[in-house]
Amino acid sequence: MLFSELGLGPDVLRAIEDKGYTQPTPIQEQAIPWVLQGRDVLGCAQTGTGKTASFTLPMISILASGRARARMPRSLILEPTRELAAQVAESFETYGKHHKLSMALLIGGETFTEQVKRLDRGVDVLIATPGRLIDLFERGNIMLNDIKVFVIDEADRMLDMGFIPDIERIVSKLPKQRQTLFFSATMPPEIRRLADAFLSNPKEVTVAPPASPSETVTQAMVLVHEDDKRKALRHLLRTEDVKNAFIFCNRKRDVAILQKSLESHGFNAGALHGDMVQSKRTETLEAFKKGEITLLVCSDVAARGLDVQGLSHVFNFDVPISAEDYVHRIGRTGRAGRMGRAFTLASPLDGKQVSAIGRLIKREIPLIAIDGLESAEFLSEDEARRGRSRGRAKDKERGDRAPRERAERPEREDRAPREERQAREERQPREERPSRDERPVRDDRQPREERQPRESLAAAESRRQEPRRDRDRDRDRRRRRDEDEDDTPVIGFGDHMPAFMLRSARRPAPIEPAEQSSQEG
Ligand code: AMP
């Protein structure tokens, strides 16, 4: 099939040609015609399949006519991380270069001033992370009642990161009459329920079986003692033909430690994790994309969905806690038909996680030995549990107040207010605190009047009218933050039960001919 057969406008087709794409990918082929017809779409697709263009291209065609009013964006795209949001913004710039659409990127870690100015000028496309969008909405800087196209990208990741109540809240501010496009790499029941709640009579498009790694990635696992993992990694880095690689750690702390260790052994390594200031994150990623940094030690939150052309290797310095994350991590390589290699360093305590990955990808990852390093064996679950509690006791002995459970939890964007962060920093031992220049930039560095804007009359009025449910949600949000502070493992929704969970998961009803023609018109 050709792009010209999908119904896209001539200027979008020109931009596609400039970019050098010759054929639409399967998700583009399936989704674009439905989006252009105004239908809601439920897309099950991983990053790397051309998913971003499957919604950005038709959105540009749809938004080409019409004008945005101040503070009233015409479309909204929600992304779970800042990097992904920035990547989608780049796609809009590339594919929309022959159009005059205005765009704003609302992400945390950057000052409000520029973002607010942009909104004031009117934007056609608003790309945001949920936390920052809610902050700006609460300040009265933005109105969502003119949104015509709404995109939720990486919905399963949003769920993992605890963003669903925020998203429910955002959706409650959107007009009922809108087009919604919903993408997720996996479709577990809770995601399907969410889709049922947000979408109206959607077209479902699926391009790869959920959570299956690409055949273009060669996988291997090294099972060594925990203390030998760095040596094993260095050996692999020296013997493999590594052009560039992501090296994933489960904890932010280890990202920094491993990066320094690699540097001290002469490797060209950078670090990327959610606690770094945004400017540093952007700068590091740019340097990595340009090839100035060869190895990027990172956490899941920073690397999710990142598209680095021709990445040759992925190393899992830690076995990921969630099996799905394994698929996402190794999916950074072997993209666009190229071959890639993924190595996982496992230790005796990781047996349970490795089995879960095997079940998910329906095969065992081949074990390889490393010359000069003693191979280890997985412990039984009981032994592993005892091993972990010994680790906890050691942590306590060292006065390490951060319990191991927290360390073992995947990293989440830290959106806690400043006071809470400070309190937590006080509780942390000094050496664990981020150095001054590593602390995220918060609003408090901005001029006072920006920190405490006067509430506009409209905002004050809408706050007065805010339904009780919203206030309850606020309280839940605060409580979830508090729970984060306590380092309790996050399982499901805690005692918050979002409304969509109470609805039954239904397959969408068949399309009635009359309804179809009115929606497709
Ligand atoms: P995504 O799944 O959106 O992260 O896209 C993955 C990569 O595929 C990006 O580098 C895109 O530039 C590239 N891509 C998207 N659509 C096409 C296409 N039709 N032909 C070739 N490459 C594409």
Side-chain angles (χ1 to χ4, degrees), residues 480-500:
R480 277 203 327 280
R481 284 173 175 167
D482 291 346
E483 280 166 1
D484 272 358
E485 300 307 300
D486 284 339
D487 293 332
T488 19
V490 176
I491 301 166
F493 295 98
D495 54 7
H496 168 85
M497 181 62 76
F500 75 87

mmCIF file with all atom_site columns, all heavy atoms in Angstrom, residues 480-500:
data_model
loop_
_atom_site.group_PDB
_atom_site.id
_atom_site.type_symbol
_atom_site.label_atom_id
_atom_site.label_alt_id
_atom_site.label_comp_id
_atom_site.label_asym_id
_atom_site.label_entity_id
_atom_site.label_seq_id
_atom_site.pdbx_PDB_ins_code
_atom_site.Cartn_x
_atom_site.Cartn_y
_atom_site.Cartn_z
_atom_site.occupancy
_atom_site.B_iso_or_equiv
_atom_site.pdbx_formal_charge
_atom_site.auth_seq_id
_atom_site.auth_comp_id
_atom_site.auth_asym_id
_atom_site.auth_atom_id
_atom_site.pdbx_PDB_model_num
ATOM 1   N N   . ARG A 1 480 ? -1.548  9.319  47.532 1.00 0.00 ? 480 ARG A N   1
ATOM 2   C CA  . ARG A 1 480 ? -0.641  8.453  46.785 1.00 0.00 ? 480 ARG A CA  1
ATOM 3   C C   . ARG A 1 480 ? 0.775   8.964  46.868 1.00 0.00 ? 480 ARG A C   1
ATOM 4   O O   . ARG A 1 480 ? 1.725   8.222  46.990 1.00 0.00 ? 480 ARG A O   1
ATOM 5   C CB  . ARG A 1 480 ? -1.072  8.359  45.332 1.00 0.00 ? 480 ARG A CB  1
ATOM 6   C CG  . ARG A 1 480 ? -2.144  7.338  45.093 1.00 0.00 ? 480 ARG A CG  1
ATOM 7   C CD  . ARG A 1 480 ? -2.161  6.880  43.660 1.00 0.00 ? 480 ARG A CD  1
ATOM 8   N NE  . ARG A 1 480 ? -1.789  7.874  42.688 1.00 0.00 ? 480 ARG A NE  1
ATOM 9   C CZ  . ARG A 1 480 ? -2.590  8.819  42.226 1.00 0.00 ? 480 ARG A CZ  1
ATOM 10  N NH1 . ARG A 1 480 ? -3.813  8.926  42.675 1.00 0.00 ? 480 ARG A NH1 1
ATOM 11  N NH2 . ARG A 1 480 ? -2.168  9.673  41.321 1.00 0.00 ? 480 ARG A NH2 1
ATOM 12  N N   . ARG A 1 481 ? 0.901   10.319 46.803 1.00 0.00 ? 481 ARG A N   1
ATOM 13  C CA  . ARG A 1 481 ? 2.243   10.882 46.942 1.00 0.00 ? 481 ARG A CA  1
ATOM 14  C C   . ARG A 1 481 ? 2.827   10.516 48.297 1.00 0.00 ? 481 ARG A C   1
ATOM 15  O O   . ARG A 1 481 ? 3.976   10.161 48.430 1.00 0.00 ? 481 ARG A O   1
ATOM 16  C CB  . ARG A 1 481 ? 2.204   12.391 46.800 1.00 0.00 ? 481 ARG A CB  1
ATOM 17  C CG  . ARG A 1 481 ? 2.045   12.822 45.363 1.00 0.00 ? 481 ARG A CG  1
ATOM 18  C CD  . ARG A 1 481 ? 1.856   14.295 45.346 1.00 0.00 ? 481 ARG A CD  1
ATOM 19  N NE  . ARG A 1 481 ? 1.804   14.778 43.980 1.00 0.00 ? 481 ARG A NE  1
ATOM 20  C CZ  . ARG A 1 481 ? 1.407   15.995 43.656 1.00 0.00 ? 481 ARG A CZ  1
ATOM 21  N NH1 . ARG A 1 481 ? 1.038   16.832 44.584 1.00 0.00 ? 481 ARG A NH1 1
ATOM 22  N NH2 . ARG A 1 481 ? 1.376   16.382 42.416 1.00 0.00 ? 481 ARG A NH2 1
ATOM 23  N N   . ASP A 1 482 ? 1.972   10.642 49.331 1.00 0.00 ? 482 ASP A N   1
ATOM 24  C CA  . ASP A 1 482 ? 2.450   10.304 50.671 1.00 0.00 ? 482 ASP A CA  1
ATOM 25  C C   . ASP A 1 482 ? 2.909   8.862  50.709 1.00 0.00 ? 482 ASP A C   1
ATOM 26  O O   . ASP A 1 482 ? 3.919   8.525  51.284 1.00 0.00 ? 482 ASP A O   1
ATOM 27  C CB  . ASP A 1 482 ? 1.342   10.492 51.712 1.00 0.00 ? 482 ASP A CB  1
ATOM 28  C CG  . ASP A 1 482 ? 1.013   11.960 51.883 1.00 0.00 ? 482 ASP A CG  1
ATOM 29  O OD1 . ASP A 1 482 ? 1.822   12.785 51.407 1.00 0.00 ? 482 ASP A OD1 1
ATOM 30  O OD2 . ASP A 1 482 ? -0.035  12.262 52.470 1.00 0.00 ? 482 ASP A OD2 1
ATOM 31  N N   . GLU A 1 483 ? 2.117   8.002  50.036 1.00 0.00 ? 483 GLU A N   1
ATOM 32  C CA  . GLU A 1 483 ? 2.493   6.592  50.040 1.00 0.00 ? 483 GLU A CA  1
ATOM 33  C C   . GLU A 1 483 ? 3.856   6.424  49.382 1.00 0.00 ? 483 GLU A C   1
ATOM 34  O O   . GLU A 1 483 ? 4.673   5.643  49.823 1.00 0.00 ? 483 GLU A O   1
ATOM 35  C CB  . GLU A 1 483 ? 1.446   5.766  49.298 1.00 0.00 ? 483 GLU A CB  1
ATOM 36  C CG  . GLU A 1 483 ? 0.240   5.494  50.180 1.00 0.00 ? 483 GLU A CG  1
ATOM 37  C CD  . GLU A 1 483 ? -0.947  4.971  49.398 1.00 0.00 ? 483 GLU A CD  1
ATOM 38  O OE1 . GLU A 1 483 ? -0.838  4.798  48.172 1.00 0.00 ? 483 GLU A OE1 1
ATOM 39  O OE2 . GLU A 1 483 ? -1.972  4.734  50.041 1.00 0.00 ? 483 GLU A OE2 1
ATOM 40  N N   . ASP A 1 484 ? 4.086   7.218  48.308 1.00 0.00 ? 484 ASP A N   1
ATOM 41  C CA  . ASP A 1 484 ? 5.396   7.158  47.667 1.00 0.00 ? 484 ASP A CA  1
ATOM 42  C C   . ASP A 1 484 ? 6.484   7.481  48.666 1.00 0.00 ? 484 ASP A C   1
ATOM 43  O O   . ASP A 1 484 ? 7.525   6.865  48.705 1.00 0.00 ? 484 ASP A O   1
ATOM 44  C CB  . ASP A 1 484 ? 5.483   8.216  46.551 1.00 0.00 ? 484 ASP A CB  1
ATOM 45  C CG  . ASP A 1 484 ? 4.970   7.662  45.254 1.00 0.00 ? 484 ASP A CG  1
ATOM 46  O OD1 . ASP A 1 484 ? 4.595   6.487  45.242 1.00 0.00 ? 484 ASP A OD1 1
ATOM 47  O OD2 . ASP A 1 484 ? 4.959   8.420  44.274 1.00 0.00 ? 484 ASP A OD2 1
ATOM 48  N N   . GLU A 1 485 ? 6.174   8.516  49.480 1.00 0.00 ? 485 GLU A N   1
ATOM 49  C CA  . GLU A 1 485 ? 7.185   8.934  50.446 1.00 0.00 ? 485 GLU A CA  1
ATOM 50  C C   . GLU A 1 485 ? 7.501   7.821  51.429 1.00 0.00 ? 485 GLU A C   1
ATOM 51  O O   . GLU A 1 485 ? 8.595   7.691  51.914 1.00 0.00 ? 485 GLU A O   1
ATOM 52  C CB  . GLU A 1 485 ? 6.697   10.150 51.223 1.00 0.00 ? 485 GLU A CB  1
ATOM 53  C CG  . GLU A 1 485 ? 6.393   11.339 50.370 1.00 0.00 ? 485 GLU A CG  1
ATOM 54  C CD  . GLU A 1 485 ? 7.541   11.698 49.481 1.00 0.00 ? 485 GLU A CD  1
ATOM 55  O OE1 . GLU A 1 485 ? 8.607   11.995 50.029 1.00 0.00 ? 485 GLU A OE1 1
ATOM 56  O OE2 . GLU A 1 485 ? 7.407   11.660 48.246 1.00 0.00 ? 485 GLU A OE2 1
ATOM 57  N N   . ASP A 1 486 ? 6.473   7.028  51.751 1.00 0.00 ? 486 ASP A N   1
ATOM 58  C CA  . ASP A 1 486 ? 6.694   5.940  52.702 1.00 0.00 ? 486 ASP A CA  1
ATOM 59  C C   . ASP A 1 486 ? 7.423   4.764  52.082 1.00 0.00 ? 486 ASP A C   1
ATOM 60  O O   . ASP A 1 486 ? 7.705   3.784  52.741 1.00 0.00 ? 486 ASP A O   1
ATOM 61  C CB  . ASP A 1 486 ? 5.345   5.416  53.208 1.00 0.00 ? 486 ASP A CB  1
ATOM 62  C CG  . ASP A 1 486 ? 4.765   6.374  54.199 1.00 0.00 ? 486 ASP A CG  1
ATOM 63  O OD1 . ASP A 1 486 ? 5.541   7.171  54.756 1.00 0.00 ? 486 ASP A OD1 1
ATOM 64  O OD2 . ASP A 1 486 ? 3.568   6.327  54.394 1.00 0.00 ? 486 ASP A OD2 1
ATOM 65  N N   . ASP A 1 487 ? 7.627   4.857  50.762 1.00 0.00 ? 487 ASP A N   1
ATOM 66  C CA  . ASP A 1 487 ? 8.311   3.784  50.064 1.00 0.00 ? 487 ASP A CA  1
ATOM 67  C C   . ASP A 1 487 ? 7.555   2.465  50.076 1.00 0.00 ? 487 ASP A C   1
ATOM 68  O O   . ASP A 1 487 ? 8.150   1.407  49.938 1.00 0.00 ? 487 ASP A O   1
ATOM 69  C CB  . ASP A 1 487 ? 9.711   3.555  50.655 1.00 0.00 ? 487 ASP A CB  1
ATOM 70  C CG  . ASP A 1 487 ? 10.595  4.741  50.392 1.00 0.00 ? 487 ASP A CG  1
ATOM 71  O OD1 . ASP A 1 487 ? 10.375  5.433  49.394 1.00 0.00 ? 487 ASP A OD1 1
ATOM 72  O OD2 . ASP A 1 487 ? 11.491  4.955  51.191 1.00 0.00 ? 487 ASP A OD2 1
ATOM 73  N N   . THR A 1 488 ? 6.261   2.516  50.304 1.00 0.00 ? 488 THR A N   1
ATOM 74  C CA  . THR A 1 488 ? 5.507   1.259  50.255 1.00 0.00 ? 488 THR A CA  1
ATOM 75  C C   . THR A 1 488 ? 5.403   0.830  48.798 1.00 0.00 ? 488 THR A C   1
ATOM 76  O O   . THR A 1 488 ? 5.213   1.651  47.935 1.00 0.00 ? 488 THR A O   1
ATOM 77  C CB  . THR A 1 488 ? 4.065   1.459  50.766 1.00 0.00 ? 488 THR A CB  1
ATOM 78  O OG1 . THR A 1 488 ? 3.778   2.837  50.718 1.00 0.00 ? 488 THR A OG1 1
ATOM 79  C CG2 . THR A 1 488 ? 3.839   0.864  52.101 1.00 0.00 ? 488 THR A CG2 1
ATOM 80  N N   . PRO A 1 489 ? 5.536   -0.482 48.544 1.00 0.00 ? 489 PRO A N   1
ATOM 81  C CA  . PRO A 1 489 ? 5.422   -0.898 47.150 1.00 0.00 ? 489 PRO A CA  1
ATOM 82  C C   . PRO A 1 489 ? 4.040   -0.542 46.608 1.00 0.00 ? 489 PRO A C   1
ATOM 83  O O   . PRO A 1 489 ? 3.053   -0.632 47.346 1.00 0.00 ? 489 PRO A O   1
ATOM 84  C CB  . PRO A 1 489 ? 5.590   -2.421 47.200 1.00 0.00 ? 489 PRO A CB  1
ATOM 85  C CG  . PRO A 1 489 ? 6.050   -2.737 48.560 1.00 0.00 ? 489 PRO A CG  1
ATOM 86  C CD  . PRO A 1 489 ? 5.689   -1.601 49.438 1.00 0.00 ? 489 PRO A CD  1
ATOM 87  N N   . VAL A 1 490 ? 3.976   -0.120 45.365 1.00 0.00 ? 490 VAL A N   1
ATOM 88  C CA  . VAL A 1 490 ? 2.688   0.250  44.782 1.00 0.00 ? 490 VAL A CA  1
ATOM 89  C C   . VAL A 1 490 ? 2.086   -0.983 44.133 1.00 0.00 ? 490 VAL A C   1
ATOM 90  O O   . VAL A 1 490 ? 2.675   -1.579 43.250 1.00 0.00 ? 490 VAL A O   1
ATOM 91  C CB  . VAL A 1 490 ? 2.881   1.339  43.714 1.00 0.00 ? 490 VAL A CB  1
ATOM 92  C CG1 . VAL A 1 490 ? 1.566   1.662  43.035 1.00 0.00 ? 490 VAL A CG1 1
ATOM 93  C CG2 . VAL A 1 490 ? 3.469   2.566  44.356 1.00 0.00 ? 490 VAL A CG2 1
ATOM 94  N N   . ILE A 1 491 ? 0.950   -1.409 44.617 1.00 0.00 ? 491 ILE A N   1
ATOM 95  C CA  . ILE A 1 491 ? 0.287   -2.568 44.015 1.00 0.00 ? 491 ILE A CA  1
ATOM 96  C C   . ILE A 1 491 ? -1.074  -2.096 43.551 1.00 0.00 ? 491 ILE A C   1
ATOM 97  O O   . ILE A 1 491 ? -1.887  -1.650 44.351 1.00 0.00 ? 491 ILE A O   1
ATOM 98  C CB  . ILE A 1 491 ? 0.138   -3.714 45.023 1.00 0.00 ? 491 ILE A CB  1
ATOM 99  C CG1 . ILE A 1 491 ? 1.517   -4.117 45.525 1.00 0.00 ? 491 ILE A CG1 1
ATOM 100 C CG2 . ILE A 1 491 ? -0.588  -4.893 44.384 1.00 0.00 ? 491 ILE A CG2 1
ATOM 101 C CD1 . ILE A 1 491 ? 1.502   -4.984 46.737 1.00 0.00 ? 491 ILE A CD1 1
ATOM 102 N N   . GLY A 1 492 ? -1.324  -2.165 42.263 1.00 0.00 ? 492 GLY A N   1
ATOM 103 C CA  . GLY A 1 492 ? -2.615  -1.736 41.731 1.00 0.00 ? 492 GLY A CA  1
ATOM 104 C C   . GLY A 1 492 ? -2.895  -0.300 42.108 1.00 0.00 ? 492 GLY A C   1
ATOM 105 O O   . GLY A 1 492 ? -2.041  0.561  41.977 1.00 0.00 ? 492 GLY A O   1
ATOM 106 N N   . PHE A 1 493 ? -4.052  -0.042 42.641 1.00 0.00 ? 493 PHE A N   1
ATOM 107 C CA  . PHE A 1 493 ? -4.465  1.331  42.927 1.00 0.00 ? 493 PHE A CA  1
ATOM 108 C C   . PHE A 1 493 ? -4.514  1.632  44.414 1.00 0.00 ? 493 PHE A C   1
ATOM 109 O O   . PHE A 1 493 ? -5.081  2.623  44.820 1.00 0.00 ? 493 PHE A O   1
ATOM 110 C CB  . PHE A 1 493 ? -5.847  1.597  42.339 1.00 0.00 ? 493 PHE A CB  1
ATOM 111 C CG  . PHE A 1 493 ? -5.859  1.528  40.864 1.00 0.00 ? 493 PHE A CG  1
ATOM 112 C CD1 . PHE A 1 493 ? -6.262  0.380  40.238 1.00 0.00 ? 493 PHE A CD1 1
ATOM 113 C CD2 . PHE A 1 493 ? -5.418  2.592  40.111 1.00 0.00 ? 493 PHE A CD2 1
ATOM 114 C CE1 . PHE A 1 493 ? -6.258  0.298  38.868 1.00 0.00 ? 493 PHE A CE1 1
ATOM 115 C CE2 . PHE A 1 493 ? -5.412  2.517  38.736 1.00 0.00 ? 493 PHE A CE2 1
ATOM 116 C CZ  . PHE A 1 493 ? -5.831  1.360  38.123 1.00 0.00 ? 493 PHE A CZ  1
ATOM 117 N N   . GLY A 1 494 ? -3.967  0.766  45.274 1.00 0.00 ? 494 GLY A N   1
ATOM 118 C CA  . GLY A 1 494 ? -4.104  1.005  46.701 1.00 0.00 ? 494 GLY A CA  1
ATOM 119 C C   . GLY A 1 494 ? -5.571  1.045  47.019 1.00 0.00 ? 494 GLY A C   1
ATOM 120 O O   . GLY A 1 494 ? -6.359  0.281  46.460 1.00 0.00 ? 494 GLY A O   1
ATOM 121 N N   . ASP A 1 495 ? -5.990  1.967  47.854 1.00 0.00 ? 495 ASP A N   1
ATOM 122 C CA  . ASP A 1 495 ? -7.410  2.006  48.153 1.00 0.00 ? 495 ASP A CA  1
ATOM 123 C C   . ASP A 1 495 ? -8.162  3.031  47.297 1.00 0.00 ? 495 ASP A C   1
ATOM 124 O O   . ASP A 1 495 ? -9.300  3.336  47.519 1.00 0.00 ? 495 ASP A O   1
ATOM 125 C CB  . ASP A 1 495 ? -7.676  2.220  49.644 1.00 0.00 ? 495 ASP A CB  1
ATOM 126 C CG  . ASP A 1 495 ? -6.966  3.436  50.147 1.00 0.00 ? 495 ASP A CG  1
ATOM 127 O OD1 . ASP A 1 495 ? -6.385  4.169  49.343 1.00 0.00 ? 495 ASP A OD1 1
ATOM 128 O OD2 . ASP A 1 495 ? -6.969  3.650  51.347 1.00 0.00 ? 495 ASP A OD2 1
ATOM 129 N N   . HIS A 1 496 ? -7.483  3.541  46.275 1.00 0.00 ? 496 HIS A N   1
ATOM 130 C CA  . HIS A 1 496 ? -8.190  4.412  45.331 1.00 0.00 ? 496 HIS A CA  1
ATOM 131 C C   . HIS A 1 496 ? -8.804  3.522  44.259 1.00 0.00 ? 496 HIS A C   1
ATOM 132 O O   . HIS A 1 496 ? -8.136  2.696  43.679 1.00 0.00 ? 496 HIS A O   1
ATOM 133 C CB  . HIS A 1 496 ? -7.224  5.385  44.670 1.00 0.00 ? 496 HIS A CB  1
ATOM 134 C CG  . HIS A 1 496 ? -7.851  6.084  43.508 1.00 0.00 ? 496 HIS A CG  1
ATOM 135 N ND1 . HIS A 1 496 ? -8.610  7.201  43.671 1.00 0.00 ? 496 HIS A ND1 1
ATOM 136 C CD2 . HIS A 1 496 ? -7.863  5.780  42.194 1.00 0.00 ? 496 HIS A CD2 1
ATOM 137 C CE1 . HIS A 1 496 ? -9.059  7.580  42.496 1.00 0.00 ? 496 HIS A CE1 1
ATOM 138 N NE2 . HIS A 1 496 ? -8.606  6.723  41.579 1.00 0.00 ? 496 HIS A NE2 1
ATOM 139 N N   . MET A 1 497 ? -10.071 3.662  44.009 1.00 0.00 ? 497 MET A N   1
ATOM 140 C CA  . MET A 1 497 ? -10.705 2.848  42.980 1.00 0.00 ? 497 MET A CA  1
ATOM 141 C C   . MET A 1 497 ? -11.235 3.758  41.885 1.00 0.00 ? 497 MET A C   1
ATOM 142 O O   . MET A 1 497 ? -12.289 4.383  42.037 1.00 0.00 ? 497 MET A O   1
ATOM 143 C CB  . MET A 1 497 ? -11.840 2.030  43.611 1.00 0.00 ? 497 MET A CB  1
ATOM 144 C CG  . MET A 1 497 ? -12.545 1.122  42.624 1.00 0.00 ? 497 MET A CG  1
ATOM 145 S SD  . MET A 1 497 ? -11.460 -0.125 41.903 1.00 0.00 ? 497 MET A SD  1
ATOM 146 C CE  . MET A 1 497 ? -11.345 -1.240 43.279 1.00 0.00 ? 497 MET A CE  1
ATOM 147 N N   . PRO A 1 498 ? -10.469 3.937  40.786 1.00 0.00 ? 498 PRO A N   1
ATOM 148 C CA  . PRO A 1 498 ? -10.958 4.833  39.748 1.00 0.00 ? 498 PRO A CA  1
ATOM 149 C C   . PRO A 1 498 ? -12.302 4.350  39.197 1.00 0.00 ? 498 PRO A C   1
ATOM 150 O O   . PRO A 1 498 ? -12.566 3.144  39.170 1.00 0.00 ? 498 PRO A O   1
ATOM 151 C CB  . PRO A 1 498 ? -9.882  4.746  38.668 1.00 0.00 ? 498 PRO A CB  1
ATOM 152 C CG  . PRO A 1 498 ? -8.741  4.063  39.294 1.00 0.00 ? 498 PRO A CG  1
ATOM 153 C CD  . PRO A 1 498 ? -9.242  3.269  40.433 1.00 0.00 ? 498 PRO A CD  1
ATOM 154 N N   . ALA A 1 499 ? -13.092 5.297  38.731 1.00 0.00 ? 499 ALA A N   1
ATOM 155 C CA  . ALA A 1 499 ? -14.450 4.979  38.301 1.00 0.00 ? 499 ALA A CA  1
ATOM 156 C C   . ALA A 1 499 ? -14.476 3.914  37.211 1.00 0.00 ? 499 ALA A C   1
ATOM 157 O O   . ALA A 1 499 ? -15.316 3.031  37.199 1.00 0.00 ? 499 ALA A O   1
ATOM 158 C CB  . ALA A 1 499 ? -15.115 6.249  37.799 1.00 0.00 ? 499 ALA A CB  1
ATOM 159 N N   . PHE A 1 500 ? -13.482 3.967  36.295 1.00 0.00 ? 500 PHE A N   1
ATOM 160 C CA  . PHE A 1 500 ? -13.559 3.037  35.170 1.00 0.00 ? 500 PHE A CA  1
ATOM 161 C C   . PHE A 1 500 ? -13.420 1.584  35.624 1.00 0.00 ? 500 PHE A C   1
ATOM 162 O O   . PHE A 1 500 ? -13.902 0.678  34.963 1.00 0.00 ? 500 PHE A O   1
ATOM 163 C CB  . PHE A 1 500 ? -12.476 3.368  34.128 1.00 0.00 ? 500 PHE A CB  1
ATOM 164 C CG  . PHE A 1 500 ? -11.090 2.952  34.539 1.00 0.00 ? 500 PHE A CG  1
ATOM 165 C CD1 . PHE A 1 500 ? -10.630 1.681  34.266 1.00 0.00 ? 500 PHE A CD1 1
ATOM 166 C CD2 . PHE A 1 500 ? -10.254 3.836  35.213 1.00 0.00 ? 500 PHE A CD2 1
ATOM 167 C CE1 . PHE A 1 500 ? -9.362  1.308  34.636 1.00 0.00 ? 500 PHE A CE1 1
ATOM 168 C CE2 . PHE A 1 500 ? -9.005  3.462  35.589 1.00 0.00 ? 500 PHE A CE2 1
ATOM 169 C CZ  . PHE A 1 500 ? -8.556  2.193  35.304 1.00 0.00 ? 500 PHE A CZ  1
#
